[in-house]
Amino acid sequence: MSPGHRQVIMMTDFVKKTIRPFRALRFLARKPHTIISPHEQHNDIEGEPLPTERYRGIHINDWETCISCGLCARICPCDAIEMVEVEGEQKKRPEVSYGRCCFCGFCEDVCPRDSMHLTSNYVMIDKNSETFTFLPENDLEEFQKEYIVETSQLRYNDKDVKKAEKGPSAKKGVKGKKKK
Amino acid sequence: MKEDTLSDVDKKSENYVPGQTTVQEVLGYVSAHLPDLEVKLLSSRRGEILVDHSIKGEVLTRLKEEGFDHFAALSCIDLIDDDRIQLVYHVWSYGSKGHILVKTELPRKDPSTDTVYRIYRPAITYEREIKEMFGVDFPGNPRLTQFILEDWEGPPPMLKDFDTEAYAVDHFNMVRRDPPSKPPQPKKGGES
Amino acid sequence: MDDFRSTEIIFGPQHPGIHGNFAMRLELEGDMVRRARVVPGYLHRAFEKLMERRTWHQNIALVPRICVPDPDVNEVAYSMAIEEIMGLEVPRRGDYIRTIVLELSRLASHLMGLGGLGGAIGLYTLPMWTNGERDYILDLFEALTGGRVYHMYTWPGGVRWDMPENWPRKVLKVLDHIEAQLPSYYSLFFESKVTDARLKGLAPITTSWAVEHGVTGPNLRATGLEVDLRRDDPYAAYEDLDFDVITLKQGDGMARALVRWYEVGQSIRIIRDAMEKMPGGPVIAKTPPPLAFTVPPGDHYAHVESSKGEYGYYVISKGGKYPYRVHVRGPSFTHGIDVLEKMLINQELADVALITGGLDVCPPDIDR
């Protein structure tokens, strides 16, 4: 090995051992991938909020257009939908059991009147297990009022929560990508 | 069973050359030499051979020699209406990119056929599963031990006449959901 | 073997180094494994039996659960088998979207697998990073299919919905982002001396041994045999697309990891190519509604190249609304039992997790 060659090797070794570790410093500025849900909004790579429109979450069913054909109950692969009689209603209505539901959205696909829909809402926390069997109606408002998770139930570091609640500008998703 | 380790295998020939015989050629050969077998060309790359289970070993050995050396799968089907159990050996050639299904049938009562694991090594696990799920015996296979089902006492569960629901009710204290007689329920039960 | 010299330990199913839910009984002599026995069955959910009692479409909600990191191959292989029996032709656009979904899924699976390998050698930065990137891919799946992990997006005849308008742009953006991160992952993992010491020369296999034992996919390509079902038996839109089949010669742990690494790059290339060549038109062929859907009698074995190896669905129909029988051939059925038991012999205990992770064993498809 010629002395020049050795020098080159020493140089590359020097670069590898001494200079390169400093490159790791740039990761100090990189924010973590994790977010503080639900205090912080989950965004995709372009900064658009998630979940998207197509997200398959809790059902809604328009009772005015629903003709009680029962197709949703028949297609359901998990046997989660059941047609039940409702007080004050002549027709049977689909009742969804979320202990069984796999959120495949087949009920939405077969609905001939387009009344059954899966909303993009998926947060439901409750202590009572019977909550998770319910009759989907027009909107989720009433359901949400009662059963949407209260922020105090989730335990996070107070500092992190404050930071997150300051707004989306306090945290960036991907390095170099601005939100909205 | 003596286990051959990786270092033993390394001494075997290193150069692997995939065979180039096509599906058509193999089917032609089979129908010429064993005229009582039924062969079918499904598409340019797929062929089917129906054999009696006593000579399937010879056919599979020949297929392997011709380059169909990837044993893709061994499927078992319970043909309860014909009172038969069908075994399907899927072999694939890396050279000619052809797929041959070798189908053989066994009687449904006490099904038993010789193992093919000496010809195609992966069959050792497939046969082990089929023994457990269908009750087909493979004399000569050294690994026909308990596989997936732990402490299983019932009949082979993949057979068509196995009553899944009755077994579950008997063994697991299952509560049956009975839609027709169910009374209407309150919309939201209990306190939140 | 003398009782005083050998110890039997049970490795898994709760061991942090195990790759999923299965266990191994290892007979050790000192630190060396002398005999290994895989104990599967922790995830047995009797899918094949369940599928016989569900309609053709209901099974679509069931099959992705057979492989958690790479679920889409199941839907596509199952749909392909049905289409072949029925003689259905998938519209070209549907094929292209399937290809993109499959490749995104492969990308996510490889990133997760490499992360797991990093975890097995004690390099915990890598799983954090790669799983972070995987999350962007899951965001894409959510925007396209509505599900993050299980998509239930492929139906017999095509795919359920067309792409949203801004989705292709987002895909390309995520690919750019992942591609920009790849060099730092490479220097983190493959240039590390620890990786070199742990993976180089780890449980090498030869091509003839691998073929004999039913090794498929990246593990077989790592031994030098140029096989890839995407090219050898083209399905979806792969015949129109441009990609290389990655092969390496060594057949050891390093080669198996590197093949996966280079396939990440190839997947990115395939998706970009497919986006460019995307044809117009419908995404799903005209089929009867799901509840009136029947398949004529027949049988077909459809296979696809998953991120772990060959995935096959042998579907038998006797006519009617339900499949008569569906047999699933998962790549881990050979990799995870027979091959693994042989490869572990005379290896150190510390390498057990690395070998299992290097083969990318996925226990759900052993048990089904």
Side-chain angles (χ1 to χ4, degrees):
Chain A
M1 197 188 282
S2 68
H5 194 182
R6 187 168 292 157
Q7 230 168 10
V8 170
I9 289 183
M10 273 172 69
M11 273 304 287
T12 48
D13 221 41
F14 174 74
V15 169
K16 249 189 188 169
K17 280 184 180 155
T18 321
I19 311 282
R20 271 212 192 155
F22 286 98
R23 290 204 332 213
L25 285 176
R26 69 201 156 104
F27 292 109
L28 278 177
R30 202 162 120 169
K31 296 290 178 203
H33 282 292
T34 42
I35 56 157
I36 303 177
S37 174
H39 303 284
E40 202 176 343
Q41 175 66 42
H42 184 194
N43 292 334
D44 69 2
I45 193 143
E46 291 196 327
E48 283 174 28
L50 291 170
T52 51
E53 251 173 60
R54 284 193 183 174
Y55 192 89
R56 302 189 294 246
I58 304 168
H59 298 71
I60 50 170
N61 185 21
D62 192 347
W63 283 21
E64 280 179 12
T65 49
C66 175
I67 51 167
S68 308
C69 58
L71 281 181
C72 46
R74 275 174 63 203
I75 189 76
C76 185
C78 313
D79 202 9
I81 301 180
E82 197 180 328
M83 303 302 286
V84 295
E85 282 164 12
V86 186
E87 270 178 68
E89 286 272 328
Q90 288 185 332
K91 297 173 185 166
K92 284 185 172 183
R93 300 293 183 195
E95 184 192 62
V96 186
S97 159
Y98 287 98
R100 284 164 169 263
C101 181
C102 72
F103 300 96
C104 58
F106 290 172
C107 44
E108 186 181 354
D109 279 22
V110 294
C111 187
R113 285 302 180 93
D114 214 15
S115 73
M116 186 76 122
H117 283 291
L118 271 75
T119 58
S120 57
N121 199 326
Y122 58 92
V123 183
M124 46 175 168
I125 298 180
D126 196 57
K127 285 175 186 161
N128 188 355
S129 66
E130 281 171 42
T131 311
F132 302 108
T133 303
F134 79 104
L135 287 150
E137 282 181 56
N138 263 346
D139 50 51
L140 284 170
E141 257 177 50
E142 208 174 296
F143 181 76
Q144 273 178 334
K145 250 185 241 160
E146 275 185 72
Y147 301 114
I148 205 91
V149 57
E150 280 182 33
T151 47
S152 58
Q153 278 178 300
L154 297 171
R155 285 179 197 153
Y156 285 113
N157 190 341
D158 285 348
K159 259 190 209 166
D160 289 345
V161 173
K162 265 181 203 160
K163 225 196 229 170
E165 279 176 349
K166 262 186 208 164
S169 60
K171 277 207 170 192
K172 275 177 197 165
V174 187
K175 193 192 155 208
K177 301 265 180 344
K178 281 196 178 141
K179 292 191 176 179
K180 285 187 183 172
Chain B
M1 180 178 59
K2 192 196 165 289
E3 311 228 2
D4 51 336
T5 58
L6 284 177
S7 48
D8 291 342
V9 179
D10 282 342
K11 287 168 202 150
K12 289 181 192 168
S13 79
E14 293 255 337
N15 298 325
Y16 172 76
V17 184
Q20 299 293 335
T21 321
T22 61
V23 174
Q24 285 92 332
E25 285 164 5
V26 165
L27 293 187
Y29 169 86
V30 168
S31 52
H33 285 75
L34 299 157
D36 47 337
L37 292 189
E38 202 181 316
V39 295
K40 234 191 285 177
L41 190 65
L42 304 170
S43 70
S44 62
R45 279 188 175 174
R46 263 161 236 276
E48 192 181 286
I49 307 175
L50 302 175
V51 298
D52 187 74
H53 74 89
S54 55
I55 57 158
K56 68 169 190 312
E58 292 165 38
V59 174
L60 287 172
T61 312
R62 180 73 202 181
L63 285 176
K64 194 180 181 189
E65 281 165 9
E66 296 292 343
F68 287 80
D69 43 14
H70 171 51
F71 186 83
L74 170 56
S75 312
C76 186
I77 305 125
D78 179 17
L79 303 170
I80 193 164
D81 295 338
D82 307 343
D83 209 25
R84 306 208 138 245
I85 280 185
Q86 192 180 43
L87 291 174
V88 185
Y89 298 80
H90 302 268
V91 290
W92 171 262
S93 165
Y94 284 126
S96 68
K97 287 135 182 103
H99 180 196
I100 291 185
L101 296 89
V102 180
K103 294 184 176 176
T104 177
E105 288 188 347
L106 304 173
R108 205 159 172 280
K109 194 169 176 282
D110 296 330
S112 166
T113 183
D114 286 338
T115 176
V116 295
Y117 101 92
R118 285 200 181 77
I119 308 164
Y120 288 109
R121 172 78 202 188
I124 194 167
T125 320
Y126 287 102
E127 287 174 354
R128 194 174 160 201
E129 192 199 12
I130 289 170
K131 162 84 181 166
E132 191 168 79
M133 294 294 181
F134 290 89
V136 180
D137 196 20
F138 294 94
N141 188 325
R143 284 296 299 275
L144 291 180
T145 49
Q146 183 214 63
F147 187 50
I148 286 171
L149 306 172
E150 205 170 343
D151 301 332
W152 181 264
E153 281 161 4
M158 283 294 285
L159 291 178
K160 285 275 175 187
D161 53 3
F162 176 75
D163 191 342
T164 318
E165 199 175 352
Y167 187 87
V169 170
D170 273 9
H171 286 73
F172 303 116
N173 202 5
M174 189 182 86
V175 182
R176 203 189 301 250
R177 212 164 77 137
D178 210 358
S181 61
K182 199 180 170 188
Q185 281 193 333
K187 212 168 75 185
K188 285 159 198 161
E191 56 189 60
S192 62
Chain C
M1 209 182 285
D2 193 355
D3 276 354
F4 294 100
R5 282 179 56 209
S6 71
T7 326
E8 193 188 52
I9 65 160
I10 298 174
F11 193 88
Q14 280 105 355
H15 191 276
I18 201 87
H19 217 70
N21 306 37
F22 76 139
M24 281 181 260
R25 301 172 84 92
L26 305 173
E27 229 166 68
L28 299 174
E29 220 179 277
D31 214 11
M32 305 295 274
V33 179
R34 294 297 183 216
R35 185 167 174 270
R37 283 286 175 264
V38 173
V39 186
Y42 292 94
L43 277 166
H44 179 59
R45 290 157 289 177
F47 279 142
E48 290 178 0
K49 186 85 180 168
L50 289 175
M51 282 163 88
E52 291 169 11
R53 299 183 56 143
R54 278 163 173 71
T55 63
W56 296 100
H57 281 82
Q58 283 178 342
N59 283 331
I60 294 286
L62 203 60
V63 289
R65 282 151 227 278
I66 293 175
C67 185
V68 187
D70 194 3
D72 292 286
V73 285
N74 294 286
E75 298 165 31
V76 173
Y78 174 69
S79 304
M80 274 163 55
I82 295 174
E83 284 149 13
E84 186 70 30
I85 298 172
M86 291 180 75
L88 260 181
E89 184 122 344
V90 181
R92 223 43 206 144
R93 191 177 170 85
D95 265 347
Y96 269 79
I97 296 178
R98 274 185 187 184
T99 312
I100 291 170
V101 169
L102 282 175
E103 287 306 315
L104 281 174
S105 166
R106 184 190 315 277
L107 204 54
S109 170
H110 276 340
L111 285 175
M112 203 173 167
L114 282 166
L117 214 52
I121 66 164
L123 189 70
Y124 289 108
T125 321
L126 193 70
M128 303 295 159
W129 282 6
T130 52
N131 278 322
E133 308 309 347
R134 177 175 175 263
D135 216 57
Y136 287 118
I137 299 174
L138 298 190
D139 289 349
L140 290 178
F141 278 134
E142 183 188 319
L144 176 70
T145 69
R148 285 179 76 80
V149 178
Y150 301 126
H151 313 128
M152 301 146 201
Y153 180 61
T154 312
W155 276 40
V159 291
R160 276 167 82 182
W161 311 290
D162 204 347
M163 297 185 285
E165 221 170 88
N166 56 359
W167 196 72
R169 199 184 66 222
K170 277 186 191 166
V171 172
L172 296 178
K173 216 164 198 174
V174 170
L175 294 185
D176 289 344
H177 171 70
I178 291 175
E179 206 172 36
Q181 303 296 319
L182 289 181
S184 57
Y185 294 176
Y186 186 87
S187 64
L188 177 70
F189 187 62
F190 290 102
E191 286 178 6
S192 155
K193 279 187 179 164
V194 181
T195 315
D196 231 42
R198 296 290 302 275
L199 285 182
K200 230 171 222 171
L202 178 70
I205 53 174
T206 60
T207 309
S208 46
W209 190 88
V211 171
E212 195 186 318
H213 285 75
V215 179
T216 52
N219 300 326
L220 183 54
R221 289 197 282 280
T223 67
L225 189 62
E226 200 181 334
V227 290
D228 193 324
L229 287 175
R230 290 176 287 177
R231 199 200 51 195
D232 295 348
D233 194 8
Y235 52 96
Y238 283 111
E239 50 197 333
D240 302 353
L241 302 174
D242 201 23
F243 65 99
D244 295 332
V245 177
I246 307 287
T247 54
L248 287 173
K249 286 241 157 57
Q250 295 82 352
D252 59 352
M254 193 67 169
R256 287 192 281 273
L258 273 170
V259 164
R260 291 194 169 79
W261 174 261
Y262 289 123
E263 281 189 3
V264 169
Q266 290 302 320
S267 287
I268 293 176
R269 187 173 154 197
I270 293 173
I271 299 170
R272 284 197 180 130
D273 200 21
M275 279 293 181
E276 221 166 76
K277 292 178 181 165
M278 177 74 68
V283 293
I284 186 157
K286 218 164 162 44
T287 51
L291 284 167
F293 192 87
T294 53
V295 175
D299 63 315
H300 187 70
Y301 178 81
H303 51 185
V304 295
E305 183 80 29
S306 85
S307 59
K308 299 168 198 319
E310 179 188 344
Y311 231 109
Y313 269 73
Y314 186 50
V315 177
I316 296 118
S317 165
K318 297 261 175 216
K321 285 164 118 181
Y322 306 95
Y324 187 75
R325 164 127 167 82
V326 182
H327 179 230
V328 186
R329 185 252 191 243
S332 304
F333 201 79
T334 50
H335 294 169
I337 300 177
D338 196 35
V339 172
L340 187 62
E341 282 174 359
K342 291 228 153 162
M343 280 172 76
L344 287 180
I345 296 170
N346 292 343
Q347 301 290 340
E348 283 177 30
L349 176 61
D351 287 336
V352 170
L354 261 183
I355 295 172
T356 320
L359 282 172
D360 218 351
V361 174
C362 174
D365 72 55
I366 302 176
D367 301 343
R368 302 187 298 279

